[in-house]
């Protein structure tokens, strides 16, 4: 029986994680559930899973939440804020931590899980983008197991040889990592119409149902850019060892191309319960609730190259990683602010990339090697991005 903390339990990944856990009551027990604002869903989840703890990180009235919690799950205790998140991520009773908070807000709890040697299931890609070196060092120092939930990285992990961690890229006979992406909802929209796309249109992803922030990131392909950086850290590679391939059907979740001409691909329905179940049970396999692929229904798989004029954010991510230092931290922070402003209808769709680029230029050379230094850079980038938005770029 493994005890699981789900950070971000009320989000899209959190809900899918609980759906898989529910299918295996003899293997997994929920230790803690966390939410930022959706208290009513958190209480429903507490009633169903009877965790030892729930954590609310956003503003709330503790005594009111405690009273409601007592009615649905009398043995569950309430913790609050970042402190509560970190506590349930590193608690000695916990075996597995699902890191599914969105954005840099997930950094410190995810790092706490890595430092405490947990099996960390990483959905929160932003924490690797912000502090990849420190996160990977924490995993090595503590002996934690880091398993990717992002469908592409989970696919790559499944296509790599078992000896990859010892041997690395070249000695494993790998020629390239092929990172696939659907291209989002605006793949075929005329470029001159992109700037008038609304938040609702941007969040209507053709294949995946996800939270709003990652949905907008998929439309700009910043998501793929963040994933390139995530892959560099996870697999200890450089950007020139990765090729981004557009694959609109989202059936192949990514591929590894080997020196002998073999290309291994992981395929499946676009349903996050597959990578979640894979990582929860690794190295075993368990049922996830996902139907197997029907190749006759799929019938066609197509591929093309991404166009940087359509997806300037993708290029910015390559630039940020190549510039090095804390530039990925800067880009991630600016992007979180710009996406929030787009969702609030303060800026247009194409202005997301403009804000991101301006912030990167303003913070050229930013670097830090401590977590506090990176958090300071993140804060500075946020305030510069906000200023650019208010100056009406
Ligand atoms: P979501 O918006 O649906 O859920 C986010 C969760 O984080 C919620 O539980 C929310 O309460 C919590 N949260 C939000 N702000 C917070 C804050 N400031 N402090 C603490 N908690 C906070 O997002 P999602 O789509 O589930 O994505 C979660 C993470 O997983 C993201 O990093 C995303 O990039 C990654 N991911 C998601 C998918 C997907 O299919 N949804 C796929 C791959 C990777
Ligand atoms: Mg992904």
């Amino acid at each position: 029986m493994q005890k699981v903390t789900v950070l971000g339990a009320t989000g899209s990944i959190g809900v899918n994680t609980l759906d898989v856990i529910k299918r295996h009551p003899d293997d997994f027990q929920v230790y803690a559930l966390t939410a930022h604002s959706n208290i009513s869903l958190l209480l429903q989840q507490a009633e169903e899973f009877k965790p030892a703890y729930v954590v609310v990180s956003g503003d709330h009235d503790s005594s009111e939440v405690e009273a409601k919690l007592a009615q649905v799950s009398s043995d569950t205790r309430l913790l609050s804020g970042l402190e509560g998140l970190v506590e349930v991520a590193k608690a000695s009773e916990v075996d597995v931590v699902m890191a599914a908070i969105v954005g840099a807000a997930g950094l410190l709890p995810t790092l706490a899980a890595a430092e405490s040697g947990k099996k960390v299931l990483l959905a929160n890609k932003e924490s690797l983008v912000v502090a990849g070196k420190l996160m990977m060092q924490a995993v090595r120092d503590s002996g934690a197991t880091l398993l990717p939930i992002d469908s592409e990285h989970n696919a790559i992990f499944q296509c790599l040889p078992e000896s990859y961690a010892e041997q690395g890229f070249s000695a494993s006979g790998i020629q390239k990592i092929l990172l696939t992406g659907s291209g989002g909802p605006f793949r075929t929209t005329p470029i001159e119409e992109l700037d008038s796309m609304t938040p609702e249109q941007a969040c209507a992803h053709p294949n995946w149902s996800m939270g709003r922030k990652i949905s907008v990131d998929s439309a700009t392909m910043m998501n793929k850019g963040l994933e390139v950086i995530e892959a560099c850290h996870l697999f200890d590679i450089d950007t020139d060892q990765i090729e981004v391939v557009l694959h609109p059907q989202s059936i192949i979740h990514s591929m590894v191309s080997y020196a002998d001409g073999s290309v291994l691909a992981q395929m499946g329905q676009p349903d996050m319960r597959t990578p979640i179940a894979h990582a929860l049970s690794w190295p075993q396999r368990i049922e996830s609730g996902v139907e197997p692929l029907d190749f006759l229904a799929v019938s066609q798989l197509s591929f093309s190259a991404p166009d940087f004029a359509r997806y300037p954010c993708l290029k910015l991510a390559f630039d940020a990683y190549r510039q090095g230092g804390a530039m990925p931290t800067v880009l991630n922070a600016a992007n979180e602010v710009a996406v929030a402003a787009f969702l609030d209808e303060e800026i247009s769709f194409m202005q997301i990339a403009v804000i991101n680029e301006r912030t990167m230029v303003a913070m050229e050379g930013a670097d830090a090697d401590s977590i506090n230094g990176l958090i300071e850079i993140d804060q500075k980038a946020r305030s510069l991005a906000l200023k650019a938005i208010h100056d009406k770029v």
Side-chain angles (χ1 to χ4, degrees):
M1 178 66 85
Q2 300 187 57
K3 291 196 177 171
V4 186
T5 282
V6 184
L7 301 169
T10 53
S12 163
I13 294 288
V15 167
N16 278 307
T17 302
L18 292 176
D19 183 274
V20 176
I21 286 178
K22 192 162 64 180
R23 294 163 193 274
H24 304 279
D26 298 335
D27 300 326
F28 304 104
Q29 186 187 345
V30 175
Y31 175 80
L33 297 171
T34 87
H36 196 63
S37 50
N38 193 344
I39 311 264
S40 62
L41 179 56
L42 181 69
L43 288 170
Q44 275 176 40
Q45 294 175 334
E47 180 167 21
E48 185 172 359
F49 292 94
K50 305 281 187 256
Y53 292 94
V54 295
V55 184
V56 179
S57 47
D59 285 340
H60 65 287
D61 178 342
S62 287
S63 47
E64 195 185 315
V65 178
E66 251 162 6
K68 287 187 180 155
L69 186 60
Q71 287 172 12
V72 296
S73 180
S74 54
D75 292 333
T76 301
R77 282 195 277 159
L78 172 69
L79 300 174
S80 297
L82 180 60
E83 254 174 53
L85 295 175
V86 168
E87 196 173 323
V88 297
K90 67 178 192 192
S92 58
E93 296 94 321
V94 172
D95 306 295
V96 182
V97 175
M98 166 57 81
I101 291 173
V102 59
L107 174 61
L108 291 177
T110 306
L111 188 61
E115 285 170 346
S116 333
K118 305 300 184 198
K119 177 170 163 180
V120 183
L121 313 188
L122 187 79
N124 178 221
K125 67 192 83 183
E126 294 93 342
S127 58
L128 268 193
V129 173
V130 174
K133 281 189 190 148
L134 294 178
M135 190 77 74
M136 297 310 289
Q137 190 59 47
V139 168
R140 283 191 291 273
D141 290 348
S142 71
T145 304
L146 185 63
L147 295 170
I149 294 298
D150 219 341
S151 56
E152 296 77 3
H153 306 73
N154 184 273
I156 294 162
F157 181 80
Q158 294 195 47
C159 296
L160 290 174
E162 252 175 65
S163 57
Y164 185 79
E166 293 88 61
Q167 291 194 322
F169 190 89
S170 304
S172 299
I174 300 171
Q175 188 249 340
K176 207 142 219 157
I177 301 283
L178 303 172
L179 192 68
T180 53
S182 69
F186 306 146
R187 185 176 52 88
T188 56
T189 307
I191 290 189
E192 61 279 9
E193 287 175 25
L194 286 178
D195 202 40
S196 57
M197 293 297 121
T198 66
E200 291 328 303
Q201 289 170 310
C203 289
H205 196 280
N207 307 333
W208 298 93
S209 155
M210 309 182 285
R212 282 166 77 77
K213 191 263 178 181
I214 184 178
S215 295
V216 175
D217 284 349
S218 299
T220 60
M221 276 191 93
M222 176 54 84
N223 183 50
K224 211 49 54 188
L226 300 177
E227 290 183 357
V228 167
I229 298 172
E230 179 185 14
C232 287
H233 290 297
L234 276 175
F235 305 120
D236 194 20
I237 54 180
D238 218 331
T239 49
D240 57 11
Q241 292 165 314
I242 303 176
E243 187 178 333
V244 174
V245 179
L246 288 191
H247 165 48
Q249 295 85 6
S250 301
I251 295 295
I252 293 180
H253 300 310
S254 276
M255 302 178 258
V256 178
S257 172
Y258 286 89
D260 62 4
S262 302
V263 179
L264 301 191
Q266 187 265 358
M267 290 181 254
Q269 307 275 7
D271 187 322
M272 290 307 291
R273 289 176 300 175
T274 295
I276 290 167
H278 170 265
L280 268 174
S281 62
W282 182 84
Q284 257 85 52
R285 298 268 179 179
I286 55 172
E287 198 261 326
S288 67
V290 179
E291 291 292 311
L293 261 187
D294 175 355
F295 279 92
L296 300 181
V298 171
S299 91
Q300 202 190 25
L301 301 177
S302 56
F303 307 94
S304 60
D307 169 7
F308 283 154
R310 179 179 295 281
Y311 303 114
C313 284
L314 178 60
K315 179 171 186 302
L316 291 178
F318 275 99
D319 291 348
Y321 193 79
R322 284 177 189 142
Q323 283 180 41
M327 202 42 70
T329 314
V330 170
L331 175 59
N332 178 71
N335 184 60
E336 286 189 29
V337 170
V339 169
F342 168 70
L343 286 170
D344 287 342
E345 298 184 42
E346 288 174 35
I347 60 170
S348 68
F349 183 71
M350 292 308 277
Q351 279 178 326
I352 296 172
V354 177
I355 302 284
N356 290 345
E357 186 170 14
R358 287 230 177 149
T359 311
M360 280 174 64
V361 169
M363 291 195 66
E364 209 184 309
D367 201 3
D369 50 18
S370 70
I371 200 74
N372 287 336
L374 290 170
I375 291 172
E376 249 174 58
I377 288 174
D378 169 284
Q379 295 299 332
K380 182 157 185 228
R382 279 172 205 267
S383 59
L384 285 174
L386 267 180
K387 189 174 174 303
I389 289 165
H390 292 138
D391 291 349
K392 286 273 177 262
V393 283

